[in-house]
Amino acid sequence: MSYTEFVWFLLSEEDKTHPTAIEYWFRCMDLDGDGYLSMYELEYFYEEQLQRMEAIGIETLPFEDCLCQVHEQIT
């Protein structure tokens, strides 16, 4: 990671609502670089968070249920 990339990461971590930060995190999640976040990519990152929640004893929600909730919020 170069110095420039590190600074971009720090700024994106500090204010996740800034358009540059949104673009940064989108690029991090777009694993195949096609410009879209597929269900595979979303589930990949969700599974890691699921493991973290289970490790500290937080009640978890299956990915499909979480996906339904997100879909209902945007439609």
Side-chain angles (χ1 to χ4, degrees):
M1 180 181 280
S2 70
Y3 176 75
T4 304
E5 292 169 331
F6 180 68
V7 170
W8 195 15
F9 165 75
L10 286 179
L11 292 172
S12 297
E13 180 65 25
E14 186 67 29
D15 180 10
K16 293 184 178 94
T17 63
H18 191 278
T20 303
I22 293 169
E23 179 184 350
Y24 176 84
W25 292 115
F26 181 88
R27 287 183 176 183
C28 287
M29 293 182 69
D30 185 17
L31 299 176
D32 57 8
D34 66 354
Y36 299 95
L37 296 180
S38 68
M39 291 307 121
Y40 164 77
E41 291 162 329
L42 295 175
E43 187 171 18
Y44 175 81
F45 289 102
Y46 185 79
E47 287 298 324
E48 185 166 333
Q49 297 308 311
L50 193 69
Q51 292 172 7
R52 290 179 183 195
M53 291 188 298
E54 288 172 344
I56 59 175
I58 297 175
E59 185 178 350
T60 60
L61 184 65
F63 176 72
E64 294 77 15
D65 292 348
C66 181
L67 192 60
C68 285
Q69 287 182 0
V70 171
H71 184 264
E72 288 175 0
Q73 291 175 355
I74 61 173
T75 56

Coordinates of all heavy atoms in Angstrom, one line a residue:
M1 N 0.9 -1.2 0.0 CA 0.0 0.0 0.0 C 0.9 1.2 0.0 O 1.8 1.4 0.9 CB -0.9 0.0 1.2 CG -1.8 1.2 1.3 SD -2.9 1.2 2.8 CE -4.2 0.1 2.3
S2 N 0.7 2.1 -1.0 CA 1.5 3.3 -1.0 C 1.0 4.3 0.0 O -0.1 4.2 0.6 CB 1.4 3.9 -2.5 OG 0.1 4.4 -2.7
Y3 N 1.8 5.4 0.1 CA 1.4 6.5 1.1 C 0.0 7.1 0.6 O -0.9 7.3 1.4 CB 2.5 7.5 1.1 CG 2.1 8.7 2.0 CD1 2.1 8.6 3.4 CD2 1.7 9.9 1.4 CE1 1.7 9.6 4.2 CE2 1.4 11.0 2.2 CZ 1.4 10.8 3.6 OH 1.0 11.9 4.4
T4 N -0.1 7.3 -0.7 CA -1.3 7.9 -1.2 C -2.5 7.0 -0.9 O -3.6 7.5 -0.5 CB -1.2 8.1 -2.7 OG1 -0.1 8.9 -3.0 CG2 -2.4 8.8 -3.3
E5 N -2.4 5.7 -1.2 CA -3.5 4.8 -0.9 C -3.8 4.7 0.6 O -5.0 4.6 1.0 CB -3.1 3.4 -1.4 CG -3.0 3.2 -2.9 CD -2.4 1.9 -3.3 OE1 -1.5 1.4 -2.6 OE2 -2.7 1.5 -4.4
F6 N -2.8 4.8 1.4 CA -3.0 4.8 2.9 C -3.8 6.1 3.3 O -4.7 6.0 4.1 CB -1.7 4.8 3.6 CG -1.8 4.8 5.1 CD1 -2.4 3.7 5.8 CD2 -1.4 5.8 5.9 CE1 -2.5 3.7 7.2 CE2 -1.5 5.8 7.2 CZ -2.1 4.7 7.9
V7 N -3.5 7.2 2.8 CA -4.2 8.5 3.1 C -5.6 8.4 2.6 O -6.5 8.7 3.3 CB -3.5 9.7 2.5 CG1 -4.3 10.9 2.6 CG2 -2.1 9.9 3.1
W8 N -5.8 7.8 1.4 CA -7.2 7.7 0.9 C -8.0 6.7 1.8 O -9.2 7.0 2.1 CB -7.1 7.1 -0.5 CG -8.4 7.2 -1.3 CD1 -9.5 8.0 -1.0 CD2 -8.8 6.5 -2.5 NE1 -10.5 7.8 -1.9 CE2 -10.1 6.9 -2.9 CE3 -8.1 5.6 -3.3 CZ2 -10.7 6.4 -4.0 CZ3 -8.8 5.1 -4.4 CH2 -10.0 5.5 -4.7
F9 N -7.3 5.7 2.3 CA -8.0 4.8 3.2 C -8.4 5.5 4.5 O -9.5 5.4 5.0 CB -7.1 3.6 3.6 CG -7.6 2.8 4.8 CD1 -8.7 2.0 4.7 CD2 -6.9 2.9 6.0 CE1 -9.1 1.3 5.8 CE2 -7.4 2.3 7.1 CZ -8.5 1.4 7.0
L10 N -7.5 6.2 5.1 CA -7.7 7.0 6.3 C -8.9 8.0 6.2 O -9.8 8.0 7.0 CB -6.5 7.7 6.8 CG -5.4 6.8 7.4 CD1 -4.2 7.7 7.9 CD2 -5.9 6.0 8.6
L11 N -8.9 8.7 5.1 CA -9.9 9.7 4.9 C -11.3 9.0 4.7 O -12.3 9.4 5.1 CB -9.6 10.6 3.7 CG -8.4 11.5 3.9 CD1 -8.1 12.2 2.6 CD2 -8.7 12.5 5.0
S12 N -11.3 7.8 4.0 CA -12.5 7.1 3.7 C -13.0 6.4 5.0 O -14.2 6.3 5.2 CB -12.2 6.0 2.7 OG -11.9 6.6 1.4
E13 N -12.1 6.1 5.9 CA -12.5 5.5 7.2 C -13.1 6.6 8.1 O -14.1 6.3 8.8 CB -11.3 4.8 7.8 CG -11.6 4.2 9.2 CD -12.5 3.0 9.1 OE1 -12.6 2.4 8.0 OE2 -13.2 2.7 10.1
E14 N -12.6 7.8 8.0 CA -13.0 8.8 8.9 C -14.4 9.3 8.6 O -15.2 9.5 9.5 CB -12.0 10.0 8.8 CG -12.3 11.1 9.8 CD -12.1 10.8 11.2 OE1 -11.2 9.9 11.5 OE2 -12.8 11.3 12.1
D15 N -14.8 9.5 7.4 CA -16.1 10.0 7.0 C -16.7 9.2 5.9 O -16.4 9.4 4.7 CB -16.0 11.5 6.5 CG -17.4 12.1 6.1 OD1 -18.4 11.4 6.4 OD2 -17.4 13.2 5.6
K16 N -17.4 8.1 6.2 CA -17.9 7.2 5.3 C -19.0 7.7 4.4 O -19.5 7.1 3.5 CB -18.3 5.9 6.0 CG -17.1 5.1 6.5 CD -17.6 3.8 7.1 CE -16.4 3.1 7.7 NZ -16.1 3.3 9.1
T17 N -19.5 8.9 4.7 CA -20.6 9.5 4.0 C -20.2 10.4 2.8 O -20.9 10.8 2.0 CB -21.6 10.3 4.9 OG1 -20.8 11.4 5.4 CG2 -22.1 9.5 6.0
H18 N -18.9 10.7 2.8 CA -18.3 11.5 1.7 C -18.3 10.7 0.4 O -18.1 9.5 0.4 CB -16.9 12.0 2.1 CG -16.4 13.0 1.2 ND1 -15.8 12.7 0.0 CD2 -16.3 14.4 1.3 CE1 -15.5 13.9 -0.6 NE2 -15.8 14.9 0.2
P19 N -18.7 11.4 -0.7 CA -18.7 10.7 -2.0 C -17.4 9.9 -2.3 O -17.4 8.8 -2.9 CB -19.0 11.8 -3.0 CG -19.7 12.8 -2.2 CD -19.1 12.8 -0.9
T20 N -16.3 10.5 -2.0 CA -15.0 9.8 -2.3 C -14.9 8.5 -1.4 O -14.4 7.5 -1.9 CB -13.8 10.7 -2.0 OG1 -14.0 11.9 -2.8 CG2 -12.5 10.1 -2.3
A21 N -15.3 8.6 -0.2 CA -15.3 7.4 0.7 C -16.2 6.3 0.2 O -15.9 5.2 0.2 CB -15.7 7.8 2.1
I22 N -17.4 6.8 -0.3 CA -18.4 5.8 -0.8 C -17.8 5.1 -2.0 O -17.9 3.8 -2.1 CB -19.7 6.5 -1.2 CG1 -20.4 7.0 0.1 CG2 -20.6 5.5 -1.9 CD1 -21.6 7.9 -0.1
E23 N -17.1 5.8 -2.9 CA -16.5 5.2 -4.0 C -15.4 4.3 -3.6 O -15.2 3.2 -4.2 CB -15.9 6.3 -4.9 CG -15.1 5.7 -6.2 CD -14.5 6.8 -7.0 OE1 -14.7 8.0 -6.8 OE2 -13.7 6.4 -7.9
Y24 N -14.6 4.7 -2.6 CA -13.5 3.8 -2.1 C -14.0 2.5 -1.6 O -13.5 1.4 -2.0 CB -12.7 4.5 -1.0 CG -11.7 3.7 -0.3 CD1 -10.4 3.6 -0.9 CD2 -11.9 3.0 0.8 CE1 -9.4 2.8 -0.3 CE2 -10.9 2.2 1.4 CZ -9.7 2.1 0.8 OH -8.7 1.3 1.4
W25 N -15.0 2.5 -0.7 CA -15.6 1.3 -0.2 C -16.3 0.4 -1.2 O -16.3 -0.8 -1.2 CB -16.5 1.6 1.0 CG -15.7 2.2 2.2 CD1 -15.8 3.4 2.7 CD2 -14.6 1.5 2.9 NE1 -14.8 3.5 3.7 CE2 -14.1 2.4 3.8 CE3 -14.1 0.2 2.8 CZ2 -13.1 2.1 4.7 CZ3 -13.0 -0.1 3.7 CH2 -12.5 0.8 4.6
F26 N -16.9 1.1 -2.2 CA -17.6 0.4 -3.3 C -16.5 -0.4 -4.0 O -16.7 -1.6 -4.3 CB -18.3 1.3 -4.2 CG -19.0 0.6 -5.3 CD1 -20.2 0.1 -5.2 CD2 -18.3 0.4 -6.6 CE1 -20.9 -0.6 -6.2 CE2 -18.9 -0.3 -7.6 CZ -20.2 -0.8 -7.4
R27 N -15.4 0.2 -4.4 CA -14.3 -0.5 -5.1 C -13.7 -1.6 -4.2 O -13.3 -2.6 -4.8 CB -13.2 0.5 -5.4 CG -13.6 1.4 -6.6 CD -12.4 2.3 -6.9 NE -12.7 3.2 -8.1 CZ -11.9 4.0 -8.6 NH1 -10.6 4.1 -8.2 NH2 -12.2 4.7 -9.6
C28 N -13.7 -1.5 -2.9 CA -13.2 -2.6 -2.1 C -14.1 -3.8 -2.1 O -13.7 -4.9 -2.1 CB -13.1 -2.1 -0.6 SG -11.7 -1.0 -0.3
M29 N -15.4 -3.5 -2.2 CA -16.4 -4.6 -2.2 C -16.6 -5.2 -3.6 O -17.1 -6.3 -3.7 CB -17.7 -4.1 -1.6 CG -17.6 -3.8 -0.1 SD -19.2 -3.3 0.6 CE -20.1 -4.8 0.5
D30 N -16.3 -4.5 -4.6 CA -16.5 -4.9 -6.0 C -15.4 -5.8 -6.4 O -14.4 -5.4 -7.1 CB -16.7 -3.7 -7.0 CG -17.0 -4.2 -8.4 OD1 -17.4 -5.3 -8.6 OD2 -16.8 -3.3 -9.3
L31 N -15.4 -7.1 -5.9 CA -14.3 -8.0 -6.1 C -13.9 -8.3 -7.5 O -12.8 -8.5 -7.8 CB -14.6 -9.3 -5.3 CG -14.8 -9.2 -3.8 CD1 -15.2 -10.5 -3.2 CD2 -13.6 -8.6 -3.1
D32 N -14.9 -8.4 -8.4 CA -14.6 -8.7 -9.8 C -14.4 -7.5 -10.7 O -14.2 -7.6 -11.9 CB -15.7 -9.7 -10.4 CG -17.1 -9.1 -10.3 OD1 -17.3 -8.0 -9.9 OD2 -18.0 -9.9 -10.6
G33 N -14.6 -6.3 -10.1 CA -14.3 -5.1 -10.8 C -15.3 -4.8 -11.9 O -15.0 -4.0 -12.9
D34 N -16.5 -5.3 -11.9 CA -17.5 -5.1 -13.0 C -18.4 -3.9 -12.8 O -19.2 -3.6 -13.6 CB -18.3 -6.4 -13.2 CG -19.3 -6.7 -12.0 OD1 -19.2 -6.0 -11.0 OD2 -20.1 -7.6 -12.1
G35 N -18.2 -3.2 -11.7 CA -19.0 -2.0 -11.4 C -20.3 -2.2 -10.7 O -21.1 -1.3 -10.6
Y36 N -20.6 -3.5 -10.4 CA -21.8 -3.9 -9.7 C -21.5 -4.7 -8.5 O -20.5 -5.5 -8.5 CB -22.7 -4.7 -10.6 CG -23.1 -4.0 -11.9 CD1 -22.4 -4.2 -13.0 CD2 -24.2 -3.2 -11.8 CE1 -22.8 -3.5 -14.2 CE2 -24.7 -2.5 -13.0 CZ -23.9 -2.7 -14.2 OH -24.3 -2.0 -15.3
L37 N -22.3 -4.6 -7.4 CA -22.1 -5.5 -6.3 C -23.1 -6.6 -6.4 O -24.3 -6.4 -6.3 CB -22.4 -4.7 -5.0 CG -21.4 -3.6 -4.7 CD1 -21.7 -2.9 -3.4 CD2 -20.0 -4.1 -4.6
S38 N -22.6 -7.8 -6.7 CA -23.5 -9.0 -6.8 C -23.9 -9.5 -5.5 O -23.3 -9.2 -4.4 CB -22.8 -10.0 -7.7 OG -21.7 -10.6 -6.9
M39 N -24.8 -10.4 -5.5 CA -25.2 -11.1 -4.2 C -24.1 -11.9 -3.7 O -23.9 -12.0 -2.5 CB -26.5 -12.0 -4.5 CG -27.7 -11.3 -4.8 SD -28.1 -10.0 -3.5 CE -28.2 -8.6 -4.6
Y40 N -23.3 -12.5 -4.6 CA -22.1 -13.2 -4.1 C -21.1 -12.3 -3.3 O -20.7 -12.7 -2.2 CB -21.4 -13.8 -5.3 CG -20.0 -14.3 -5.0 CD1 -19.7 -15.5 -4.3 CD2 -18.9 -13.5 -5.3 CE1 -18.5 -15.9 -3.9 CE2 -17.6 -13.9 -5.0 CZ -17.4 -15.1 -4.3 OH -16.1 -15.5 -4.0
E41 N -20.9 -11.1 -3.9 CA -20.0 -10.2 -3.2 C -20.5 -9.7 -1.9 O -19.8 -9.7 -0.9 CB -19.7 -9.0 -4.1 CG -18.8 -9.4 -5.3 CD -18.8 -8.4 -6.4 OE1 -19.8 -7.7 -6.6 OE2 -17.8 -8.3 -7.1
L42 N -21.8 -9.4 -1.9 CA -22.4 -9.0 -0.6 C -22.4 -10.1 0.4 O -22.1 -9.8 1.6 CB -23.9 -8.5 -0.9 CG -24.0 -7.3 -1.7 CD1 -25.5 -7.0 -2.0 CD2 -23.4 -6.1 -1.1
E43 N -22.7 -11.3 0.0 CA -22.7 -12.4 1.0 C -21.3 -12.7 1.5 O -21.2 -13.0 2.6 CB -23.3 -13.6 0.3 CG -23.5 -14.8 1.3 CD -24.3 -15.9 0.7 OE1 -24.4 -16.0 -0.5 OE2 -24.8 -16.8 1.5
Y44 N -20.3 -12.6 0.6 CA -19.0 -12.8 1.0 C -18.6 -11.9 2.2 O -18.0 -12.4 3.2 CB -18.0 -12.5 -0.2 CG -16.6 -12.6 0.2 CD1 -15.9 -13.8 0.2 CD2 -15.8 -11.5 0.4 CE1 -14.6 -13.9 0.5 CE2 -14.5 -11.5 0.7 CZ -13.9 -12.8 0.8 OH -12.5 -12.8 1.1
F45 N -18.9 -10.6 2.1 CA -18.5 -9.7 3.2 C -19.5 -9.9 4.4 O -19.1 -9.7 5.5 CB -18.6 -8.3 2.7 CG -17.4 -8.0 1.8 CD1 -17.6 -7.9 0.4 CD2 -16.1 -7.8 2.3 CE1 -16.5 -7.7 -0.4 CE2 -15.0 -7.5 1.5 CZ -15.2 -7.5 0.1
Y46 N -20.7 -10.2 4.1 CA -21.7 -10.5 5.2 C -21.2 -11.6 6.1 O -21.3 -11.6 7.3 CB -23.1 -10.7 4.7 CG -24.1 -10.8 5.8 CD1 -24.6 -9.7 6.4 CD2 -24.6 -12.1 6.2 CE1 -25.6 -9.8 7.4 CE2 -25.5 -12.1 7.2 CZ -26.0 -11.0 7.8 OH -26.9 -11.1 8.8
E47 N -20.8 -12.7 5.5 CA -20.4 -13.9 6.2 C -19.2 -13.6 7.2 O -19.2 -14.1 8.3 CB -19.9 -15.0 5.2 CG -21.1 -15.7 4.5 CD -22.0 -16.4 5.4 OE1 -21.6 -17.0 6.4 OE2 -23.3 -16.3 5.1
E48 N -18.3 -12.7 6.8 CA -17.2 -12.4 7.7 C -17.8 -11.6 8.9 O -17.4 -11.9 10.0 CB -16.2 -11.5 7.0 CG -15.0 -11.2 7.9 CD -13.8 -10.7 7.1 OE1 -13.7 -11.0 5.9 OE2 -13.0 -10.0 7.8
Q49 N -18.7 -10.7 8.7 CA -19.3 -10.0 9.8 C -20.1 -10.9 10.7 O -20.2 -10.7 11.9 CB -20.2 -8.8 9.3 CG -19.4 -7.8 8.5 CD -18.2 -7.3 9.3 OE1 -18.3 -6.9 10.5 NE2 -17.0 -7.2 8.6
L50 N -20.8 -11.9 10.0 CA -21.6 -12.8 10.8 C -20.7 -13.6 11.7 O -21.1 -13.8 12.9 CB -22.3 -13.8 9.8 CG -23.3 -14.7 10.3 CD1 -24.6 -13.9 10.6 CD2 -23.7 -15.7 9.2
Q51 N -19.5 -14.0 11.3 CA -18.6 -14.7 12.2 C -18.2 -13.9 13.3 O -18.1 -14.4 14.5 CB -17.4 -15.2 11.4 CG -17.7 -16.3 10.4 CD -16.5 -16.6 9.5 OE1 -15.4 -16.1 9.7 NE2 -16.8 -17.4 8.5
R52 N -17.9 -12.6 13.1 CA -17.5 -11.7 14.1 C -18.6 -11.5 15.2 O -18.4 -11.5 16.4 CB -17.1 -10.3 13.6 CG -15.8 -10.4 12.8 CD -15.5 -9.0 12.2 NE -14.3 -9.1 11.4 CZ -13.6 -8.1 11.0 NH1 -14.0 -6.8 11.4 NH2 -12.5 -8.2 10.3
M53 N -19.9 -11.4 14.7 CA -21.0 -11.2 15.6 C -21.2 -12.5 16.5 O -21.5 -12.4 17.7 CB -22.3 -10.9 14.8 CG -22.2 -9.5 14.2 SD -23.8 -9.0 13.4 CE -24.0 -10.2 12.2
E54 N -21.1 -13.7 15.8 CA -21.2 -14.9 16.6 C -20.1 -15.0 17.6 O -20.4 -15.5 18.7 CB -21.2 -16.1 15.6 CG -22.4 -16.2 14.8 CD -22.3 -17.3 13.7 OE1 -21.2 -17.7 13.4 OE2 -23.4 -17.6 13.1
A55 N -18.9 -14.6 17.3 CA -17.8 -14.7 18.2 C -18.0 -13.9 19.5 O -17.5 -14.3 20.6 CB -16.5 -14.3 17.5
I56 N -18.7 -12.8 19.4 CA -18.9 -11.9 20.6 C -20.3 -12.1 21.1 O -20.7 -11.3 22.0 CB -18.6 -10.5 20.3 CG1 -19.4 -9.9 19.2 CG2 -17.1 -10.3 20.0 CD1 -19.2 -8.4 19.0
G57 N -21.1 -13.0 20.6 CA -22.4 -13.4 21.2 C -23.5 -12.5 20.8 O -24.5 -12.5 21.5
I58 N -23.4 -11.8 19.6 CA -24.5 -11.0 19.1 C -25.4 -11.9 18.3 O -25.0 -12.7 17.5 CB -24.0 -9.9 18.3 CG1 -23.2 -8.9 19.2 CG2 -25.2 -9.1 17.6 CD1 -22.5 -7.8 18.4
E59 N -26.7 -11.8 18.5 CA -27.7 -12.6 17.7 C -27.5 -12.2 16.2 O -27.5 -11.1 15.8 CB -29.1 -12.3 18.2 CG -30.2 -13.1 17.5 CD -31.6 -12.9 18.0 OE1 -31.7 -12.1 19.0 OE2 -32.5 -13.4 17.4
T60 N -27.5 -13.3 15.4 CA -27.3 -13.1 14.0 C -28.5 -13.2 13.1 O -29.5 -13.8 13.6 CB -26.2 -14.0 13.4 OG1 -26.6 -15.4 13.7 CG2 -24.9 -13.8 14.1
L61 N -28.5 -12.8 11.9 CA -29.6 -12.8 11.0 C -29.1 -13.5 9.7 O -28.0 -13.1 9.2 CB -30.1 -11.4 10.7 CG -31.3 -11.2 9.8 CD1 -32.5 -11.8 10.5 CD2 -31.5 -9.7 9.5
P62 N -29.8 -14.5 9.2 CA -29.3 -15.1 7.9 C -29.2 -14.1 6.8 O -30.0 -13.1 6.8 CB -30.4 -16.2 7.6 CG -31.1 -16.4 8.9 CD -31.0 -15.2 9.7
F63 N -28.3 -14.3 5.9 CA -28.1 -13.4 4.8 C -29.3 -13.1 4.0 O -29.6 -11.9 3.7 CB -27.0 -13.9 3.9 CG -26.7 -13.0 2.7 CD1 -26.1 -11.8 2.8 CD2 -27.2 -13.4 1.4 CE1 -25.9 -10.9 1.7 CE2 -27.0 -12.6 0.3 CZ -26.3 -11.4 0.5
E64 N -30.1 -14.1 3.7 CA -31.3 -14.0 3.0 C -32.3 -13.0 3.6 O -33.0 -12.2 3.0 CB -32.0 -15.3 2.7 CG -31.2 -16.3 1.8 CD -30.0 -16.9 2.6 OE1 -30.0 -16.9 3.8 OE2 -29.1 -17.5 1.9
D65 N -32.4 -13.1 5.0 CA -33.3 -12.2 5.7 C -32.8 -10.8 5.7 O -33.6 -9.8 5.5 CB -33.5 -12.7 7.2 CG -34.2 -14.0 7.3 OD1 -34.8 -14.5 6.3 OD2 -34.2 -14.6 8.4
C66 N -31.5 -10.6 5.8 CA -30.9 -9.3 5.7 C -31.2 -8.7 4.4 O -31.5 -7.5 4.2 CB -29.4 -9.4 6.1 SG -28.6 -7.8 6.0
L67 N -31.0 -9.5 3.3 CA -31.2 -9.0 2.0 C -32.6 -8.6 1.7 O -32.9 -7.6 1.1 CB -30.8 -10.2 1.0 CG -30.7 -9.8 -0.5 CD1 -29.6 -8.8 -0.7 CD2 -30.4 -11.1 -1.2
C68 N -33.6 -9.3 2.3 CA -35.0 -9.0 2.2 C -35.3 -7.6 2.9 O -36.0 -6.8 2.3 CB -35.9 -10.0 2.8 SG -36.0 -11.5 1.8
Q69 N -34.7 -7.4 4.0 CA -34.9 -6.2 4.7 C -34.3 -5.0 3.9 O -35.0 -3.9 3.8 CB -34.2 -6.2 6.1 CG -34.9 -7.1 7.1 CD -34.2 -7.1 8.4 OE1 -33.2 -6.4 8.6 NE2 -34.7 -7.8 9.4
V70 N -33.1 -5.2 3.3 CA -32.6 -4.1 2.5 C -33.4 -3.8 1.3 O -33.7 -2.7 0.9 CB -31.1 -4.5 2.1 CG1 -30.6 -3.5 1.0 CG2 -30.2 -4.5 3.3
H71 N -33.9 -4.9 0.7 CA -34.8 -4.7 -0.5 C -36.0 -4.0 -0.2 O -36.5 -3.1 -0.9 CB -35.1 -6.1 -1.1 CG -35.9 -6.0 -2.4 ND1 -37.3 -6.1 -2.4 CD2 -35.5 -5.8 -3.6 CE1 -37.7 -6.0 -3.6 NE2 -36.6 -5.8 -4.4
E72 N -36.6 -4.3 1.0 CA -37.9 -3.6 1.4 C -37.6 -2.1 1.7 O -38.4 -1.3 1.4 CB -38.4 -4.2 2.7 CG -39.0 -5.6 2.4 CD -39.5 -6.3 3.7 OE1 -39.3 -5.8 4.8 OE2 -40.0 -7.4 3.5
Q73 N -36.4 -1.8 2.1 CA -36.1 -0.4 2.4 C -35.9 0.4 1.2 O -36.1 1.6 1.2 CB -34.8 -0.3 3.3 CG -35.0 -0.8 4.7 CD -33.7 -0.8 5.5 OE1 -32.6 -0.5 5.0 NE2 -33.8 -1.2 6.8
I74 N -35.4 -0.2 0.1 CA -35.1 0.6 -1.1 C -36.3 0.6 -2.1 O -36.2 1.3 -3.1 CB -33.8 0.2 -1.8 CG1 -33.9 -1.3 -2.2 CG2 -32.7 0.4 -0.9 CD1 -32.7 -1.7 -3.0
T75 N -37.3 -0.2 -1.9 CA -38.4 -0.3 -2.8 C -39.7 0.4 -2.2 O -39.8 0.7 -1.1 CB -38.8 -1.7 -3.2 OG1 -39.1 -2.5 -2.1 CG2 -37.7 -2.3 -4.0

